[in-house]
Structure formats: structure tokens, C-alpha cells
Amino acid sequence: MAEILQKDGTWVFDGDALRLTPGRDKGVGLLRKELGELVVPLGALAGISFEQGKRTGRLRLRLRDGADPLLHATGGRLTEPHDPYQLLVDADRYGVAEYFVDEVRHALLLDRVPAGPVDGYLLPGPAVPLSFSAGDGTASFDGEHVRLEWNWKTEDAKAAAGTRTIRVEDVVGVEWQPAVGLENGHLRFTVRHAPTKAPPKYDPNAVELWGFKKDPLMALVAAAVQARLPHPAGAPGEAVGAAVPLSGPEPQIPAARADDDHDALLRRLRELGALHRDGVLTDEEFTLAKQAVLKRL
């Protein structure tokens, strides 16, 4: 098992999945706190990286396209401190972060996880019911219906029709767009048989967002709805309600490759010993890391 604890959060890898728990530091974004702990199966990963800085570094996970409804609904527009797949790392834990990256990469190689897109969500999306207020309205989702309620800041033309209720089976698309510069953002639902080119300010199927603190929370509503729509890469009409496991027989590792892995693990043991002697790894971290390597040997 590999583990790294920081003010920004805690990441744990047990060989099969990564468990991402947000920290309680004031710098952690509202979206990450509300989302809570995420369990990311190894098969959902396309890669992992660690970037060093002068004072802090950054761990990043890269998920396979189509694996996470949150990333699909937000179109890759989540940024730190709201992105759950980034972790700030203090300089005195760079060695631990590098070891964490090595463990995940080695598991990806051993399991021969492809980096390409998937045809079914491998993460379930946020739990429902959900309800958040931001911009010109409140968006709620109970798993079956989206409910949009307007406030005093809503344009009269949009508010005149009253509260909007949309069945999830009538939703054919969902998009969350953050405010950027002078451009407002939005949470918009594309409804079957009701196409519109109206700006979010006037669209009764959209909440307009103005760049305030709670705007990112609307992304959770977008992700929860997206998780219940047919996967964009799946068969037509395919309903998605749970994570889809990877199919096919478990691959066998050729003998030559197994020998290479054995040598790599021996090198890792020597590296861990050097990190421990230099004080980069604590006694407990060194013991856990060494046990993980010995287990693979």
C-alpha cells in the first residue's frame, strides 16, 4: 500500500484502487469538500504525474476519457482548488510523492491497463439527492427529476414560467461552464424535442452563473445527471446507472517481462533504503513501502 498525507488531502493506493480524501485546510475548494471521498479503480486511470516546485509540488491523476461523469459534464474545465484529481505536496514529502507515482505506474503496467477511452462510466458520479443555489437559481436533482427554481435576480422572461421540472429521461445533454473573465458561466440541460439557442440568461433549462464562490457546486448536479444518461461512447439507448467493469480475461505476463519487473523491484528496494537513510521517508513510511515491494516480489 502507498499513502501520502497532506493538508490538501490524503491519497491511498492499495494496488486495485486509489482512495482520494479531501483535506480540511481552508484552501480546499467547496466542490472537493462536498464531493467527499472518491474511490478511483485502477482501470479508470490513464496515467499519473508529479511536478516539483520550489515550495510545493503537485500530484495529478489523468483518467481515461469517458471514465468519470464529473469530468465529462465539466469538459475538463475544473481547476485547482476544485479539481479532485490534483494534490498539493509539501517539499519535504517529494520522495513520498515520487514513490507513490512509481507504485501506481507499476500497477498500471502489471495489469496492462490501456490508456484509451472507455465505453461506460467507471465512477458512479455524486450521490443524490442534491440541491445547490448559485447565480439566478437553485438546481436540485433526486435521481429522476431535475428541478430549477428561480430567485429575484432571474430575468422576468425566464421566471415567468415558474419552477421548471425536467424528467431525466428527457435530458439528452448537460453542461457546466464556469464564469471566465467578463463571460458568465452556466449549468445547462439540453432537453429532448426542445432545442434552443437562447443565452443561459433567458433559457428556462439553464442556470446562469456569475463567478461566485458557490458556482462550482453546480458541477455536482451536472455530474449526477450525466451519470444517469446513456454513455456517449456506449451502444444507443444503453442506460448507465453503475460503474462498468473492464471485460476480457486477465492478461498473462510473459516470463521475460516478469524478470524485468523483478529487477525493477530490487532497484526500488535499494532506492527506498537510500530515501530512508537520507530522512526523506519516516520509519513507518519506509516499512509500509518495503512491505509493498516485498509482497510484489
Side-chain angles (χ1 to χ4, degrees), residues 75-102:
R77 292 180 287 268
L78 285 177
T79 57
E80 200 277 327
H82 306 296
D83 187 348
Y85 302 116
Q86 297 186 34
L87 182 71
L88 293 178
V89 179
D90 293 333
D92 62 352
R93 281 294 176 265
Y94 281 1
V96 180
E98 290 170 348
Y99 168 70
F100 192 95
V101 168
D102 286 346

Short mmCIF file of all heavy atoms in Angstrom, two decimals, residues 75-102:
data_model
loop_
_atom_site.label_atom_id
_atom_site.label_comp_id
_atom_site.label_asym_id
_atom_site.label_seq_id
_atom_site.Cartn_x
_atom_site.Cartn_y
_atom_site.Cartn_z
N GLY A 75 -16.30 19.06 -18.90
CA GLY A 75 -15.45 19.27 -20.07
C GLY A 75 -14.02 19.61 -19.76
O GLY A 75 -13.37 20.34 -20.51
N GLY A 76 -13.49 19.11 -18.63
CA GLY A 76 -12.11 19.40 -18.27
C GLY A 76 -11.88 20.82 -17.79
O GLY A 76 -10.74 21.30 -17.75
N ARG A 77 -12.96 21.51 -17.40
CA ARG A 77 -12.83 22.91 -17.00
C ARG A 77 -12.69 23.11 -15.49
O ARG A 77 -12.66 24.24 -15.02
CB ARG A 77 -14.03 23.72 -17.52
CG ARG A 77 -14.04 23.85 -19.04
CD ARG A 77 -15.23 24.65 -19.52
NE ARG A 77 -16.47 23.90 -19.41
CZ ARG A 77 -16.99 23.15 -20.38
NH1 ARG A 77 -16.35 23.05 -21.54
NH2 ARG A 77 -18.12 22.50 -20.21
N LEU A 78 -12.60 22.02 -14.72
CA LEU A 78 -12.36 22.15 -13.29
C LEU A 78 -10.90 22.52 -13.05
O LEU A 78 -10.00 21.91 -13.62
CB LEU A 78 -12.68 20.84 -12.57
CG LEU A 78 -14.14 20.49 -12.37
CD1 LEU A 78 -14.26 19.12 -11.72
CD2 LEU A 78 -14.84 21.53 -11.52
N THR A 79 -10.66 23.50 -12.21
CA THR A 79 -9.30 23.90 -11.91
C THR A 79 -9.06 23.78 -10.40
O THR A 79 -10.00 23.70 -9.61
CB THR A 79 -9.04 25.35 -12.34
OG1 THR A 79 -9.99 26.22 -11.71
CG2 THR A 79 -9.17 25.50 -13.85
N GLU A 80 -7.79 23.75 -10.01
CA GLU A 80 -7.43 23.76 -8.60
C GLU A 80 -7.97 25.05 -7.99
O GLU A 80 -7.87 26.11 -8.61
CB GLU A 80 -5.90 23.68 -8.48
CG GLU A 80 -5.37 23.20 -7.15
CD GLU A 80 -5.31 24.33 -6.12
OE1 GLU A 80 -5.06 25.48 -6.50
OE2 GLU A 80 -5.54 24.05 -4.94
N PRO A 81 -8.66 25.08 -6.84
CA PRO A 81 -8.72 24.03 -5.82
C PRO A 81 -9.93 23.10 -5.93
O PRO A 81 -10.22 22.37 -4.99
CB PRO A 81 -8.82 24.84 -4.53
CG PRO A 81 -9.66 26.01 -4.93
CD PRO A 81 -9.25 26.35 -6.35
N HIS A 82 -10.64 23.10 -7.06
CA HIS A 82 -11.85 22.30 -7.19
C HIS A 82 -11.61 20.94 -7.84
O HIS A 82 -12.47 20.06 -7.75
CB HIS A 82 -12.89 23.08 -8.00
CG HIS A 82 -13.18 24.44 -7.46
ND1 HIS A 82 -13.75 24.64 -6.22
CD2 HIS A 82 -12.94 25.68 -7.97
CE1 HIS A 82 -13.86 25.93 -6.00
NE2 HIS A 82 -13.38 26.58 -7.03
N ASP A 83 -10.49 20.77 -8.50
CA ASP A 83 -10.20 19.51 -9.19
C ASP A 83 -9.82 18.43 -8.19
O ASP A 83 -8.80 18.54 -7.52
CB ASP A 83 -9.05 19.74 -10.18
CG ASP A 83 -8.79 18.53 -11.06
OD1 ASP A 83 -9.34 17.44 -10.79
OD2 ASP A 83 -8.03 18.67 -12.04
N PRO A 84 -10.62 17.35 -8.06
CA PRO A 84 -10.31 16.31 -7.07
C PRO A 84 -9.12 15.45 -7.47
O PRO A 84 -8.64 14.65 -6.65
CB PRO A 84 -11.59 15.47 -7.02
CG PRO A 84 -12.21 15.64 -8.36
CD PRO A 84 -11.88 17.05 -8.79
N TYR A 85 -8.64 15.59 -8.71
CA TYR A 85 -7.56 14.74 -9.20
C TYR A 85 -6.21 15.44 -9.17
O TYR A 85 -5.28 15.05 -9.87
CB TYR A 85 -7.90 14.23 -10.60
CG TYR A 85 -9.20 13.47 -10.63
CD1 TYR A 85 -10.30 13.93 -11.35
CD2 TYR A 85 -9.35 12.31 -9.88
CE1 TYR A 85 -11.50 13.24 -11.34
CE2 TYR A 85 -10.55 11.61 -9.86
CZ TYR A 85 -11.62 12.08 -10.59
OH TYR A 85 -12.81 11.40 -10.57
N GLN A 86 -6.11 16.48 -8.34
CA GLN A 86 -4.85 17.14 -8.07
C GLN A 86 -4.61 17.16 -6.56
O GLN A 86 -5.55 17.29 -5.79
CB GLN A 86 -4.84 18.59 -8.59
CG GLN A 86 -5.00 18.73 -10.08
CD GLN A 86 -4.84 20.17 -10.52
OE1 GLN A 86 -4.06 20.93 -9.93
NE2 GLN A 86 -5.57 20.56 -11.54
N LEU A 87 -3.35 17.06 -6.16
CA LEU A 87 -2.99 17.12 -4.73
C LEU A 87 -1.72 17.92 -4.57
O LEU A 87 -0.69 17.60 -5.18
CB LEU A 87 -2.78 15.71 -4.16
CG LEU A 87 -2.45 15.64 -2.67
CD1 LEU A 87 -3.68 16.01 -1.83
CD2 LEU A 87 -1.95 14.25 -2.28
N LEU A 88 -1.78 18.98 -3.75
CA LEU A 88 -0.59 19.77 -3.45
C LEU A 88 0.30 19.00 -2.47
O LEU A 88 -0.20 18.43 -1.49
CB LEU A 88 -0.97 21.12 -2.86
CG LEU A 88 -1.70 22.09 -3.80
CD1 LEU A 88 -2.06 23.37 -3.04
CD2 LEU A 88 -0.85 22.41 -5.01
N VAL A 89 1.61 19.00 -2.73
CA VAL A 89 2.55 18.22 -1.93
C VAL A 89 3.64 19.15 -1.39
O VAL A 89 4.26 19.90 -2.16
CB VAL A 89 3.20 17.10 -2.77
CG1 VAL A 89 4.22 16.32 -1.93
CG2 VAL A 89 2.13 16.16 -3.32
N ASP A 90 3.88 19.13 -0.08
CA ASP A 90 4.94 19.92 0.53
C ASP A 90 6.31 19.38 0.10
O ASP A 90 6.48 18.19 -0.17
CB ASP A 90 4.83 19.88 2.05
CG ASP A 90 3.58 20.60 2.55
OD1 ASP A 90 3.10 21.51 1.85
OD2 ASP A 90 3.09 20.23 3.64
N ALA A 91 7.30 20.27 0.08
CA ALA A 91 8.62 19.92 -0.42
C ALA A 91 9.25 18.77 0.37
O ALA A 91 10.00 17.96 -0.20
CB ALA A 91 9.53 21.14 -0.39
N ASP A 92 8.96 18.67 1.67
CA ASP A 92 9.58 17.61 2.47
C ASP A 92 8.95 16.24 2.23
O ASP A 92 9.36 15.25 2.85
CB ASP A 92 9.54 17.95 3.96
CG ASP A 92 8.12 18.07 4.50
OD1 ASP A 92 7.17 18.03 3.69
OD2 ASP A 92 7.96 18.20 5.73
N ARG A 93 7.97 16.15 1.34
CA ARG A 93 7.34 14.87 1.02
C ARG A 93 7.46 14.54 -0.47
O ARG A 93 6.72 13.72 -1.00
CB ARG A 93 5.85 14.89 1.43
CG ARG A 93 5.67 14.66 2.94
CD ARG A 93 6.11 13.25 3.30
NE ARG A 93 6.06 12.96 4.71
CZ ARG A 93 7.07 13.07 5.54
NH1 ARG A 93 8.25 13.49 5.08
NH2 ARG A 93 6.96 12.76 6.81
N TYR A 94 8.43 15.18 -1.13
CA TYR A 94 8.62 14.89 -2.56
C TYR A 94 9.01 13.43 -2.79
O TYR A 94 8.57 12.80 -3.76
CB TYR A 94 9.71 15.80 -3.13
CG TYR A 94 9.25 17.21 -3.45
CD1 TYR A 94 7.95 17.61 -3.19
CD2 TYR A 94 10.13 18.15 -4.00
CE1 TYR A 94 7.52 18.90 -3.46
CE2 TYR A 94 9.71 19.44 -4.29
CZ TYR A 94 8.40 19.81 -4.02
OH TYR A 94 7.99 21.07 -4.30
N GLY A 95 9.84 12.89 -1.90
CA GLY A 95 10.24 11.49 -2.05
C GLY A 95 9.07 10.55 -1.94
O GLY A 95 8.96 9.57 -2.69
N VAL A 96 8.14 10.83 -1.02
CA VAL A 96 6.94 10.01 -0.86
C VAL A 96 6.06 10.11 -2.10
O VAL A 96 5.51 9.11 -2.58
CB VAL A 96 6.14 10.44 0.39
CG1 VAL A 96 4.89 9.59 0.55
CG2 VAL A 96 7.02 10.35 1.64
N ALA A 97 5.94 11.32 -2.65
CA ALA A 97 5.13 11.51 -3.85
C ALA A 97 5.70 10.73 -5.03
O ALA A 97 4.97 10.10 -5.80
CB ALA A 97 5.03 13.00 -4.19
N GLU A 98 7.02 10.75 -5.18
CA GLU A 98 7.66 10.02 -6.27
C GLU A 98 7.47 8.52 -6.11
O GLU A 98 7.24 7.80 -7.09
CB GLU A 98 9.13 10.38 -6.34
CG GLU A 98 9.38 11.81 -6.82
CD GLU A 98 10.81 12.24 -6.67
OE1 GLU A 98 11.58 11.52 -5.98
OE2 GLU A 98 11.18 13.31 -7.23
N TYR A 99 7.56 8.05 -4.86
CA TYR A 99 7.31 6.63 -4.60
C TYR A 99 5.86 6.28 -4.93
O TYR A 99 5.57 5.23 -5.54
CB TYR A 99 7.61 6.31 -3.14
CG TYR A 99 7.11 4.95 -2.71
CD1 TYR A 99 7.71 3.79 -3.18
CD2 TYR A 99 6.02 4.83 -1.85
CE1 TYR A 99 7.23 2.54 -2.81
CE2 TYR A 99 5.54 3.60 -1.47
CZ TYR A 99 6.15 2.46 -1.95
OH TYR A 99 5.67 1.22 -1.59
N PHE A 100 4.92 7.15 -4.57
CA PHE A 100 3.50 6.93 -4.85
C PHE A 100 3.28 6.79 -6.36
O PHE A 100 2.58 5.89 -6.82
CB PHE A 100 2.68 8.10 -4.29
CG PHE A 100 1.21 7.86 -4.26
CD1 PHE A 100 0.59 7.38 -3.12
CD2 PHE A 100 0.41 8.12 -5.37
CE1 PHE A 100 -0.78 7.16 -3.07
CE2 PHE A 100 -0.95 7.91 -5.35
CZ PHE A 100 -1.55 7.42 -4.19
N VAL A 101 3.89 7.70 -7.12
CA VAL A 101 3.76 7.66 -8.58
C VAL A 101 4.32 6.35 -9.13
O VAL A 101 3.70 5.70 -10.00
CB VAL A 101 4.49 8.86 -9.22
CG1 VAL A 101 4.62 8.69 -10.73
CG2 VAL A 101 3.73 10.16 -8.92
N ASP A 102 5.47 5.94 -8.64
CA ASP A 102 6.08 4.69 -9.11
C ASP A 102 5.17 3.48 -8.84
O ASP A 102 5.04 2.59 -9.68
CB ASP A 102 7.44 4.46 -8.43
CG ASP A 102 8.52 5.39 -8.97
OD1 ASP A 102 8.28 6.01 -10.04
OD2 ASP A 102 9.58 5.50 -8.34
#
